[in-house]
Amino acid sequence: MRISARSTVPAALAVALTLLPTANCAGLPQPRLHHDAAPPAEPSSPAVFPFLKWLRDSAVEVVFGKPSYKPKTRVPAATIRSRYSNDVVIRFNVTSSEEEGALARATEQMVLDVWAFTPDFVDIRLDKDDVPALLTLLPKSLEPSVLIPDVADAVWATFPSTSPEDDLLESTFAKAAKSRRPVDGVGDIFFQNFQPLPVITSWLRLLEAMFPSIVNMTSIGKSYEKRDIYALRVGANTNASDLNNPRKTILITGGVHGREWISTSSVNYLLWSVVTLYDNEPLITKLLSEFDLVFIPVVNPDGYEYTWETDRLWRKSRQLTKVRPCRGIDLDHAFGYGWDAIERETDPCSESYGGEKPFQATEASRLAEWAKKETDNGTQLVALLDLHSYSQQILYPYAYTCSVNPPNFENLVELAVGLAKAIRLSSGETYTVSSACEGAVARAHSASNSLTRVETSGGAAIDWFYHNLKTRYSYQIKVRDTGSYGFLLPSDQIVPTGEEMLSAFKYLGDFLLGNNGIEGPLWEQPSRHGNDLRRRRRIRSEVKGDPVAPPNMDQCVIQVNSES
């Protein structure tokens, strides 16, 4: 079934849920992502457990529905093919500030879509017929390589399959990208595919209904097109005398850019992991007793919805600008601190346009107003994880300049390196660590910001939260991948990416609790930084009766030491 944007949990489901114990849905066989604690004792009546399992599965199916969501048009493949038929993504390996400057001027002149910008490479999407014109504007040393030869094919592969007829329209590339292994519990339904905004909204409501003692859903305001920007606050204040007192808070955001679907799914994965790990894993339980966690999966609901209905690669908001055909403001260049940096983009048609004044973007303004109100009421925002894609980077302030280091620079770098190491130990993937300002220009060690940058640098959310709200640990994390798929990551990468973010989040939790990420040997605490997905597969095999050899602790020690 398809759920409308304003749908809620059906009345019958709501009534059924109220019949269950409310403290963490005690007695409800939760589809945990992790299995660190012993399973709960079976109910006294043997008939109760199957009924609750059926209710759980039915509730999830009612919310998520069958079949999967599909775009408005009956033949989305044809629409996608017509929009992106000639598009490619190419990469330039940039080695000097001069090359970067030339590339920046060329992309601005041709109004090209910059996909990624790192100290080592720049990825650009354009019509393949425009490649020769671009090369005439660049020095001979810049030679492109093709990352994605058929953008239309890659776009179509990110949507859930909707019918056998749709499957026939998919190419070999699309079918390969859609191949996936099932994950346990609710992930069998929710995390198999990227989900549209109405389904995400219903899922958030379901979480609040299932875990009412620790989850509270609210809206931080309306978007430009009057959609709610939903947030879920997760916390377990066990001290009755402190119930009305403000708490230290960690903010996790995603979906700032509409096309970055993996950022939204990763925030949702973190949210689900935290609520299901509470009372089952000591670290998460302790963290929720001392901190509130606020999850905002879709900061830019208008842009996100537009990527599902019209343009999969839409980046900005949907706000009108002074140039009517060029809609949208880049929310990550719309915050007040450093907004007027020298490289600020003034062309409304640019993908990096931050508006005519700070906080002109409605969604950035709503997020800032909510956060400011929280801190005015005594809440201390101690950390921000702003998830984006792609390029596997952990970035810290400042974004607007490289000539000034933040006051706690060493602590920011130390924690960022720890986050990257936690990811590497859990999945083997490498995330680089750098200042958000860095590029080829930064390598030139310029004392000013007078050199042209490929992407504008002012008005970043991590800078504003760090400077204006004193959020001591403020990071932008660009998740998978490093260019093979770019923004068009296939759905089989949802769970692995979520696992990486969970490993990083646990490290952050350890750090904020005063343990600096190392409470004990990693091999004695696999739930902390180990590969949780691998452990769950082992547990599933044991449940099915398959023999599984115990882990070789000597090998584990060698692996950990080699990564130190």
Side-chain angles (χ1 to χ4, degrees), residues 418-439:
L419 299 177
K421 183 177 180 180
I423 293 171
R424 188 174 72 251
L425 291 177
S426 70
S427 69
E429 291 292 328
T430 299
Y431 279 60
T432 61
V433 173
S434 68
S435 169
C437 74
E438 289 208 5

Side-chain angles (χ1 to χ4, degrees), residues 100 104 107 114-117 122 257 259 315 330 332-333 343-345 351-352 399 437 452-458 476 478:
E100 183 181 351
T107 55
V114 177
W115 272 31
F117 165 62
V122 177
H257 295 136
R259 63 191 177 188
R315 169 184 166 98
D330 182 353
D332 201 38
H333 291 298
E343 301 88 4
R344 181 172 63 84
E345 180 59 67
E351 296 287 356
S352 301
C437 74
T452 305
R453 305 291 299 275
V454 166
E455 184 173 309
T456 57
S457 54
Q476 182 180 109
K478 294 189 175 183

Side-chain angles (χ1 to χ4, degrees), residues 219-224 229-231 251-257 294-301 331-332 334-336 359 361-375 381 384-388 459-462 464-465 469 471:
S219 171
I220 67 168
K222 299 281 189 181
S223 68
Y224 177 78
I229 305 171
Y230 286 113
L251 176 61
I252 304 100
T253 58
V256 169
H257 295 136
V294 177
F295 296 86
I296 307 179
V298 190
V299 176
N300 178 14
L331 302 186
D332 201 38
F335 286 78
F359 294 114
T362 301
E363 296 79 8
S365 180
R366 296 294 86 80
L367 178 57
E369 289 169 357
W370 169 83
K372 184 67 165 57
K373 183 178 180 180
E374 289 283 307
T375 56
L381 285 173
L384 166 68
L385 298 182
D386 184 23
L387 303 192
H388 287 253
I462 59 170
W464 185 84
F465 274 89
L469 298 189
T471 304

Side-chain angles (χ1 to χ4, degrees), residues 132-150:
L134 174 61
L135 295 180
T136 63
L137 302 175
L138 302 176
K140 298 296 184 183
S141 58
L142 282 176
E143 296 183 359
S145 57
V146 177
L147 289 182
I148 302 179
D150 189 340

Side-chain angles (χ1 to χ4, degrees), residues 455-475:
E455 184 173 309
T456 57
S457 54
I462 59 170
D463 286 4
W464 185 84
F465 274 89
Y466 179 83
H467 182 269
N468 291 62
L469 298 189
K470 312 304 179 187
T471 304
R472 184 173 177 82
Y473 297 104
S474 180
Y475 298 100

